[in-house]
Amino acid sequence: AQTVTQSQPEMSVQEAETVTLSCTYDTSESDYYLFWYKQPPSRQMILVIRQEAYKQQNATENRFSVNFQKAAKSFSLKISDSQLGDAAMYFCAYYYTGANSKLTFGKGITLSVRP
Amino acid sequence: DAGITQSPRHKVTETGTPVTLRCHQTENHRYMYWYRQDPGHGLRLIHYSYGVKDTDKGEVSDGYSVSRSKTEDFLLTLESATSSQTSVYFCAIRSQGTEAFFGQGTRLTVV
């Protein structure tokens, strides 16, 4: 069974600093997708970044980047130059490319940003 | 806008009554999912569908049933609501190779 683990329930970062959110996953598959979603207090789920397992290059979207370590099954999110608007809950998610696959989430991490 | 709508957005119901939540999409995505979100548990999968009339259970399926008779609609039914089913419910849709798109969520309170 595929599982996604986010072991840190909460983190805090100073505005303009850098923070890294951790995620590990367990799978026996070789071809899959990984995602980070942001959920602000509005409850809306917003895609932050995605990574295809077959790509060795780490994905980057502006201030957001990932450190994808396939052998270690690790997928961490780095937020650079943190802003007050980054304060939210962040979820790591996974699905493999086979037919009928589930979309599995971690428990999430609450990020607070100190002004 | 990913073209996904959940209804109702809020509902209060009494213990023992049946409740149906609807997820409607206009994007023709193959996969549809129902999750519940509770503090400390993240998003837990209830049921999902990979095509019309093709559904499967998730990790917290007890007390819930689903139906998908059309590509665009995925219904979640609580046959006899209990207080433990008070939660926020999210529907998500995706296609192969895409990210998932989410509805706005339904806050269900069982009293």
Side-chain angles (χ1 to χ4, degrees):
Chain A
Q2 290 85 19
T3 58
V4 177
T5 302
Q6 296 178 253
S7 57
Q8 306 153 302
E10 297 178 350
M11 287 195 74
S12 180
V13 63
Q14 189 75 35
E15 193 176 8
E17 297 295 311
T18 296
V19 64
T20 299
L21 310 183
S22 300
C23 173
T24 59
Y25 57 96
D26 185 23
T27 183
S28 57
E29 307 294 336
S30 60
D31 195 11
Y32 49 86
Y33 292 86
L34 294 161
F35 306 89
W36 278 98
Y37 282 89
K38 172 185 178 181
Q39 187 183 45
S42 66
R43 280 199 329 231
Q44 182 183 5
M45 293 288 286
I46 302 166
L47 177 70
V48 175
I49 201 165
R50 59 179 280 171
Q51 175 79 43
E52 291 87 348
Y54 66 86
K55 291 186 178 179
Q56 293 188 346
Q57 186 172 5
N58 290 326
T60 299
E61 288 287 343
N62 300 314
R63 298 184 294 109
F64 299 88
S65 61
V66 298
N67 183 5
F68 173 49
Q69 301 290 327
K70 191 172 184 179
K73 298 179 183 175
S74 171
F75 182 60
S76 60
L77 175 69
K78 186 172 80 170
I79 306 174
S80 303
D81 185 25
S82 297
Q83 301 175 0
L84 296 178
D86 294 333
M89 180 164 280
Y90 288 81
F91 292 97
C92 180
Y94 157 100
Y95 75 81
Y96 82 98
T97 58
N100 313 337
S101 64
K102 301 177 183 180
L103 172 61
T104 304
F105 285 82
K107 291 186 177 183
I109 179 171
T110 300
L111 177 67
S112 59
V113 181
R114 304 186 301 275
Chain B
D1 186 356
I4 176 171
T5 306
Q6 287 184 232
S7 59
R9 294 290 311 279
H10 300 87
K11 186 170 182 66
V12 179
T13 192
E14 292 187 349
T15 298
T17 61
V19 176
T20 295
L21 307 183
R22 182 188 186 220
C23 179
H24 178 77
Q25 63 153 323
T26 58
E27 304 295 321
N28 201 36
H29 286 286
R30 177 184 175 191
Y31 295 89
M32 300 185 77
Y33 302 84
W34 276 110
Y35 296 89
R36 60 178 291 174
Q37 183 176 15
D38 305 287
H41 292 278
L43 288 161
R44 291 184 292 176
L45 183 63
I46 305 171
H47 282 281
Y48 67 108
S49 170
Y50 42 89
V52 173
K53 295 194 168 88
D54 290 323
T55 65
D56 205 348
K57 295 179 179 180
E59 60 182 303
V60 290
S61 60
D62 288 348
Y64 302 93
S65 63
V66 290
S67 67
R68 190 173 180 194
S69 58
K70 299 183 291 185
T71 298
E72 56 266 35
D73 287 324
F74 192 34
L75 304 180
L76 177 70
T77 298
L78 291 66
E79 301 291 347
S80 178
T82 67
S83 58
S84 65
Q85 293 175 313
T86 291
S87 187
V88 177
Y89 291 84
F90 282 96
C91 177
I93 60 176
R94 72 165 178 93
S95 291
Q96 186 67 306
T98 73
E99 65 267 31
F101 303 93
F102 286 81
Q104 294 296 90
T106 295
R107 180 175 292 280
L108 176 67
T109 302
V110 183
V111 298

